[in-house]
Amino acid sequence: MILKPKILLYIITLCVLVAAVVWEYYMQQWLSYQPEDGANVLRVDLFVIWPVVLTLVGVSLFRILENRK
């Protein structure tokens, strides 16, 4: 079965969204075990995760709205 590029984009976007939410849940749990609830922890992972999520969502929305014209 060959997936169309649009469908593949939507599947990847959904998987990345779910993975980002799961990652954030476990990071919040980990931070709660740190001294002072992780006040001194610098979350560098956010500089990678959220730009990727926003880019994929933006491209997916562009592809959806592009077809309506």
Side-chain angles (χ1 to χ4, degrees):
M1 181 173 86
I2 298 176
L3 294 176
K4 292 183 179 181
K6 290 182 185 179
I7 302 298
L8 189 59
L9 173 66
Y10 302 147
I11 291 171
I12 291 171
T13 301
L14 185 62
C15 290
V16 168
L17 277 171
V18 170
V21 169
V22 169
W23 176 263
E24 187 63 30
Y25 172 75
Y26 283 113
M27 281 301 296
Q28 292 301 320
Q29 280 192 340
W30 178 78
L31 285 172
S32 70
Y33 293 121
Q34 302 306 310
E36 300 175 5
D37 287 330
N40 296 328
V41 175
L42 181 62
R43 298 265 323 261
V44 183
D45 60 320
L46 297 177
F47 291 107
V48 175
I49 293 172
W50 293 113
V52 170
V53 169
L54 291 174
T55 302
L56 283 172
V57 168
V59 170
S60 294
L61 286 175
F62 178 76
R63 298 289 279 192
I64 290 171
L65 296 176
E66 178 184 55
N67 291 340
R68 293 187 180 194
K69 290 185 178 183

